Amino acid sequence: MHKLRGALSQIQGRFETAARSPFDDGWTADEQTQSAIQTTVTEERARSIIARNESPDVPFEQSINPYRGCEHGCIYCLAGETKILMADGTTRPLAELREGDQIYGTRRDGWYRRYVRSRVLAHWSVIKQAFRVTLEDGTTLVAGGDHRFLTERGWKHVVDNIETTGRNRAHLTTNNKLMGTGAFADAAAKDRNYQLGYLCGMIRGDALLRSYRYARAGRANGDQHRFRLALCDEKALCRTEAYLRDWQIHTRWFVFQQAAAGRRAMPAIRTSARMDLAEIRELIDWPRTPADEWAGGFLAGIFDAEGSFSHGVLRISNTDPEIVRWIGLCLERFGFRYRVEHTKLDQKRPVDVVRLLGGLREQLRFFHIADPAITRKRDIEGRAVKSEARLRVRKLEPLGRSMRLYDLTTETEDFIANGIVSHNCYARPSHAYLELSPGLDFETKLFAKTNAVELLKQELSQPGYQVKPIAFGANTDCYQPIERRYQLMRGLLEVLAAREHPLTVVTKSALIERDLDLLAPMAKKNLVKAFISITTLDAPLARRLEPRAASPGRRVDAIRALAAAGIPTGVLVAPVIPALTDKSMEEVLEAGAQAGARMAGWILLRLPNEVRPLFKEWLAAHYPQRADHVISIVRQSRGGRENDPNFGSRMSGTGKFAELIGRRFEVACKRLGLNREDDHMASRGGLDCARFVPPSSGGQLKLF
């Protein structure tokens, strides 16, 4: 049964639905709540599995997270009119994108990031303060201050904004150069002039247009008129047919060439009416004073007819010097640089090749201005993200107003916004690169690192590996419901148990009881300790705070089971929410101690920028009368702000309320016998790191 979610807003994900098996988490059937939002899981192949930490107030130096997801927060980014590079080489305003659309993103391959096709997984908007970023070449981007762009020095936010985020973060300066091609060009208007230009380029480039006469028995003459255009790409044929129809010239479709081995079918359109041919000749006549729209249409038509784009080179070939001259004139009209290469000069009709210069930036500008019909010729898959464009930040200015901004979640975790590589939304401060959306998106879109066990074996085998306890549950709960299906935590424990490697576990789930057969023998060797997190014993309050976690009573039972198995176990009171859960701290500690806990800890509520709006929304919905009071005490405990990023105080806070909670915690622990000085397991570094036996590479046996 799918239970109520914690966040109150956010769109539903579009991943493959994960099957769930029944499990007793302590909630009775009448306490369950149906939810239409299904949890979905994306399987991914991680590049590494052990994360290192150097924070002085975090009690571990190594951690493993087999799953991604479990916290709240998101960033919203760009103005709705921002052009996004689609997978067919066209552009579309960000506001008009929808889930499932195919776009371009990037992926690192060797020394470079390269353009790859990606799918839009989510799309939404929010109203917030906007900033304008102006680059040296004139490219402009309107974005929220929290949005990130790719620079030559990595991902950077638009602004630091430490007063509201409560943390220092990399942000744009005038010394940064953004990565990409620069602003996308506007397409030529597809008016009547564009149609005439396209027909001129297409028909002169690739069509048969002929009238001829021959003698026929019994008739004065055998005048024949033929217009025929045969192409493998129906998109160009459809555009040509539609434009001719707008000029009252109707053509018929037929199969010019049947499909055969190694050869595609070639459809064609034709007409044999004398008046139609006369009209077509008039339409494709060279203009005396061509408009920009005609020039754009001509380049599109001649490219569809005679152009190619492969191996990073855009070419248009033709044997007619007049057509080649007009190609050059139209390119010059839009400021393109090009080179004419003469080939096969010894032949009767030598071929001239017009090659566009300037690399991908100019090639995309050509595609966007001319907008040829054959999109397969616009493929930039695999091209490196490098450019000589002048993309250094020249100016960054607040617009002084809030506006509706949009963002995406994509398969590649980024997208191309007005020619600049742009990071899609991310989930929370501790997962800045997760690209999960806020609220319900975080809760419903999970990622399983299916190669976690394999990676752990490899990293433990490294010659320079230093043994330190590995923490599980540092960022996301390692015993999430999907663990029952994937059993990644089980596999990781099996590896660590076999190598006698120390570890710690923090979880809210009673599923940890499944692995007692592995944890208990490790505990006898001083290789493991576990913490069960309990926020409150008030079941209705817990149901609202952590609707998909095990009930408080079930978690107490898990402490009892771990302690009975000889596993050093602690109870973690986290988070302590002022005026909401703080009154039950002693009750939680006492229940944990009675169940066999030997250690205890507490963490004051933290509200980083990504979490703050979601918590306030939840607070206003469930406890509107207490909302202002709760936030007021949070500010008093965070130096006047709603979050404190400083080491040493960010976990416990400062001020009278934090001091009072700390003193109450110490008194309760002393009374209950928790965190005794003679209990070496309660101190950092108390696990045995000397027993570790590294895996042998290639399965080779050790001599001694």
Side-chain angles (χ1 to χ4, degrees):
M1 179 172 288
H2 296 279
K3 295 173 294 188
L4 138 94
R5 298 284 177 176
L8 302 179
S9 63
Q10 184 55 313
I11 57 178
Q12 183 174 347
R14 293 191 58 192
F15 294 98
E16 180 182 358
T17 302
R20 293 185 172 276
S21 57
F23 178 75
D24 177 18
D25 59 4
W27 296 107
T28 60
D30 59 350
E31 290 173 313
Q32 305 281 3
T33 302
Q34 292 291 338
S35 173
I37 309 293
Q38 304 295 315
T39 298
T40 57
V41 183
T42 296
E43 298 181 1
E44 63 176 357
R45 303 282 294 179
R47 294 186 178 181
S48 62
I49 196 62
I50 300 179
R52 269 73 184 185
N53 168 66
E54 297 180 355
S55 300
D57 55 353
V58 175
F60 58 85
E61 297 181 53
Q62 298 190 132
S63 63
I64 290 180
N65 294 288
Y67 303 103
R68 301 202 294 175
C70 272
E71 289 191 40
H72 303 134
C74 184
I75 295 305
Y76 301 89
C77 67
L78 298 167
E81 66 272 14
T82 305
K83 297 176 183 177
I84 304 301
L85 184 61
M86 307 301 292
D88 62 2
T90 62
T91 64
R92 189 184 304 172
L94 175 58
E96 297 180 9
L97 264 63
R98 295 295 180 265
E99 295 178 21
D101 286 341
Q102 296 290 325
I103 64 174
Y104 271 110
T106 71
R107 183 168 291 135
R108 181 168 292 281
D109 182 10
W111 289 101
Y112 296 103
R113 281 185 174 270
R114 299 186 182 275
Y115 293 99
V116 296
R117 289 183 177 85
S118 184
R119 183 166 61 94
V120 175
L121 302 175
H123 177 269
W124 61 92
S125 66
V126 73
I127 297 176
K128 67 181 307 181
Q129 186 179 8
F131 296 80
R132 178 184 290 113
V133 181
T134 305
L135 308 183
E136 279 185 312
D137 70 343
T139 298
T140 60
L141 298 143
V142 175
D146 299 313
H147 185 63
R148 287 182 294 166
F149 294 105
L150 183 62
T151 74
E152 83 287 8
R153 297 179 181 178
W155 295 105
K156 291 198 173 183
H157 295 269
V158 172
V159 295
D160 186 9
N161 207 13
I162 189 171
E163 291 301 320
T164 58
T165 62
R167 56 192 169 92
N168 291 302
R169 64 187 189 188
H171 59 280
L172 295 180
T173 70
T174 52
N175 292 322
N176 291 135
K177 178 182 178 182
L178 302 191
M179 303 300 292
T181 61
F184 293 141
D186 294 326
K190 291 184 173 58
D191 58 9
R192 304 285 272 187
N193 281 320
Y194 181 92
Q195 292 184 3
L196 290 174
Y198 186 84
L199 292 174
C200 181
M202 173 60 73
I203 294 172
R204 286 183 179 274
D206 209 25
L208 170 68
L209 185 64
R210 181 187 303 175
S211 295
Y212 54 95
R213 174 176 298 180
Y214 63 94
R216 298 183 64 186
R219 297 188 181 183
N221 60 69
D223 292 351
Q224 296 293 312
H225 307 280
R226 293 283 186 271
F227 165 75
R228 183 187 69 225
L229 178 63
L231 295 170
C232 291
D233 296 277
E234 291 191 11
K235 290 182 179 180
L237 277 179
C238 289
R239 181 182 288 189
T240 304
E241 180 199 33
Y243 287 176
L244 289 174
R245 187 169 57 249
D246 287 345
W247 294 90
Q248 305 303 313
I249 300 171
H250 299 278
T251 57
R252 298 186 305 275
W253 285 74
F254 70 101
V255 178
F256 180 76
Q257 175 181 282
Q258 296 286 350
R263 187 176 62 187
R264 291 189 296 166
M266 183 178 294
I269 58 174
R270 66 185 174 190
T271 180
S272 298
R274 180 176 61 83
M275 294 299 295
D276 285 346
L277 264 70
E279 182 69 16
I280 290 174
R281 289 191 176 96
E282 185 175 342
L283 294 178
I284 66 172
D285 195 14
W286 299 115
R288 292 186 178 180
T289 54
D292 287 348
E293 292 76 15
W294 186 95
F298 176 77
L299 291 175
I302 195 64
F303 180 78
D304 280 342
E306 301 285 358
S308 66
F309 182 51
S310 61
H311 304 292
V313 181
L314 190 154
R315 302 181 179 89
I316 304 175
S317 305
N318 205 273
T319 60
D320 187 338
E322 185 67 5
I323 292 178
V324 173
R325 186 178 74 86
W326 274 95
I327 294 172
L329 290 174
C330 291
L331 289 174
E332 292 169 4
R333 191 182 193 95
F334 296 109
F336 289 108
R337 295 181 298 113
Y338 65 94
R339 179 173 298 164
V340 179
E341 299 171 346
H342 305 283
T343 61
K344 302 179 181 178
L345 299 179
D346 56 332
Q347 294 187 359
K348 185 176 181 179
R349 299 188 65 185
V351 177
D352 287 338
V353 177
V354 180
R355 179 164 61 87
L356 191 68
L357 304 179
L360 182 59
R361 173 184 171 90
E362 291 296 275
Q363 292 159 359
L364 287 176
R365 192 164 74 89
F366 175 91
F367 291 143
H368 296 155
I369 289 175
D371 192 22
I374 304 175
T375 55
R376 69 170 177 83
K377 293 184 179 182
R378 302 186 184 195
D379 184 14
I380 65 170
E381 182 96 13
R383 296 286 297 277
V385 181
K386 57 180 181 177
S387 171
E388 297 180 357
R390 294 163 43 243
L391 302 180
R392 194 169 298 279
V393 176
R394 187 179 67 186
K395 186 187 300 183
L396 197 160
E397 53 189 336
L399 295 183
R401 60 188 175 91
S402 295
M403 60 184 294
R404 184 166 294 280
L405 303 175
Y406 296 79
D407 203 355
L408 307 173
T409 296
T410 67
E411 290 177 322
T412 55
E413 306 175 351
D414 62 4
F415 54 95
I416 314 303
N418 204 19
I420 303 301
V421 181
S422 173
H423 210 281
N424 67 199
C425 74
Y426 65 84
R428 59 194 182 207
S430 60
H431 277 272
Y433 293 89
L434 286 186
E435 286 48 84
L436 299 175
S437 24
L440 294 176
D441 197 29
F442 129 73
E443 298 175 32
T444 57
K445 293 181 180 179
L446 304 182
F447 295 79
K449 303 175 184 178
T450 55
N451 62 336
V453 174
E454 172 188 342
L455 287 174
L456 178 59
K457 293 178 181 178
Q458 294 175 2
E459 295 186 32
L460 295 181
S461 301
Q462 297 297 321
Y465 177 75
Q466 296 182 1
V467 183
K468 298 175 183 178
I470 292 178
F472 288 91
N475 283 340
T476 62
D477 200 319
C478 52
Y479 283 107
Q480 296 181 49
I482 60 172
E483 165 64 16
R484 295 194 288 274
R485 172 186 175 187
Y486 286 94
Q487 299 193 41
L488 296 180
M489 183 61 181
R490 176 75 182 182
L492 294 169
L493 288 178
E494 289 174 346
V495 173
L496 296 177
R499 310 327 310 170
E500 298 190 345
H501 193 295
L503 65 99
T504 63
V505 180
V506 178
T507 182
K508 297 178 181 181
S509 175
L511 185 58
I512 191 174
E513 295 174 350
R514 179 200 64 184
D515 296 329
L516 288 177
D517 62 321
L518 294 173
L519 297 174
M522 295 184 73
K524 293 180 180 180
K525 302 175 183 178
N526 191 20
L527 293 174
V528 65
K529 62 181 178 180
F531 272 86
I532 301 297
S533 175
I534 303 177
T535 307
T536 177
L537 294 182
D538 183 340
L541 175 56
R543 196 63 169 140
R544 296 188 182 101
L545 274 172
E546 303 158 332
R548 297 179 63 79
S551 69
R554 187 69 179 89
R555 288 184 240 181
V556 173
D557 290 341
I559 294 177
R560 186 174 292 108
L562 291 169
I567 300 168
T569 307
V571 57
L572 180 63
V573 187
V576 174
I577 304 176
L580 204 59
T581 68
D582 59 293
K583 294 181 180 180
S584 62
M585 172 186 283
E586 286 82 359
E587 296 177 358
V588 172
L589 293 173
E590 185 171 356
Q594 291 178 355
R598 298 161 57 182
M599 302 164 288
W602 71 281
I603 298 176
L604 184 65
L605 173 70
R606 299 183 63 227
L607 294 177
N609 187 58
E610 294 80 6
V611 177
R612 183 166 55 251
L614 288 169
F615 177 76
K616 287 183 175 180
E617 180 185 52
W618 176 90
L619 199 60
H622 293 291
Y623 297 95
Q625 296 178 341
R626 301 191 198 179
D628 291 341
H629 185 49
V630 171
I631 297 302
S632 175
I633 299 178
V634 169
R635 292 195 184 103
Q636 295 174 32
S637 306
R638 298 297 185 186
R641 296 178 294 177
E642 293 175 356
N643 186 59
D644 176 11
N646 297 320
F647 295 135
S649 60
R650 59 177 181 166
M651 297 298 180
S652 57
T654 58
K656 294 182 178 180
F657 178 84
E659 292 175 2
L660 177 60
I661 292 294
R663 180 58 181 160
R664 285 172 53 192
F665 176 80
E666 292 176 2
V667 171
C669 288
K670 184 176 181 180
R671 174 173 60 86
L672 298 170
L674 297 169
N675 295 340
R676 293 184 310 222
E677 292 184 4
D678 59 343
D679 187 352
H680 70 280
M681 293 300 300
S683 62
R684 181 173 179 171
L687 298 178
D688 189 352
C689 296
R691 305 178 68 98
F692 174 66
V693 180
S696 57
S697 59
Q700 184 177 357
L701 297 177
K702 301 178 73 172
L703 184 58
F704 298 104

